Amino acid sequence: MESKIDIEEDNFAAIQWKAISLTHVEYPKGDYVGLILAWCSLLPVFVLVSFGTLILFRRDLHTIAYFCGLLVNEAANFVLKHLIKEPRPVRNREVLFTEYGMPSSHAQFMWFLSSYLVLFLFIRVHNNIQFIDNIWKYLTALGALGVAAIVCFSRVYLGYHSFSQVCWGGVVGCVLGVLWFCVVHQALTPLFPEIAAWPICEFLMIRDFSLIPNVMWFEYTCARGEAKNRQRKITSRKSQ
């Protein structure tokens, strides 16, 4: 007669386990290129975590709008996948993905992110007179586009998507990224000062940096000026 522990172990062994498709990325054993590309394939997850951290600590309206665009992009990808219903190219794995592959969500995500970022850098960010002072923009833009291309290549290399699925994902992501930037730049940005004045935004300390040409310099000078003021107060108190 089986004991209660043996029965529980048998029941536990009979359970079929399934990994979460968002984070479970397989690669050929012993393939170090595949290992590197598998980590590159997880970049969208790292980006979302970074956005959450950035919003929590900066509380900037434009960053929130950018993040909302990423969510809209993901929703559009979900709808397109379930309308087209094209399966993934490789399915002979331990983990069988039930979701569809057209268009690639990773490619759509990364090209949305990159296209929006490029437009933001060259339209919204303060332009310096000398080219050498703006070179960081070109390097950042090239880096963003290069990372998006690597993520797309990783999805094809690892067999999660076909070449056409990745290409269409990139096209859709670029189109949505440009459209969302136009919406934010033309429609939402003029409303940011009013939105920042809402009681709920004041309570959450949500800020609007859209009218400040160089946010990094602004924050640096504000922090430095406040530190000097506090230091003077402390010095005057000690001298009394």
Side-chain angles (χ1 to χ4, degrees), residues 23 53 57 93 192 231:
T23 57
T53 304
F57 286 98
R93 286 189 167 114
F192 281 171
Q231 184 63 39

Side-chain angles (χ1 to χ4, degrees), residues 58-65 116 120 123-126 181 183-197 206-216 218-219:
R58 290 186 60 86
R59 308 190 186 195
D60 173 35
L61 277 172
H62 183 265
T63 305
I64 296 173
Y116 188 103
F120 177 78
I123 295 178
R124 290 285 302 275
V125 177
H126 174 72
F181 178 83
V183 170
V184 173
H185 184 60
Q186 298 294 332
L188 296 181
T189 299
L191 300 176
F192 281 171
E194 181 180 347
I195 295 174
I206 295 176
R207 296 167 288 179
D208 171 34
F209 292 124
S210 60
L211 298 178
I212 301 173
N214 193 329
V215 175
M216 292 184 65
F218 170 78
E219 290 183 336

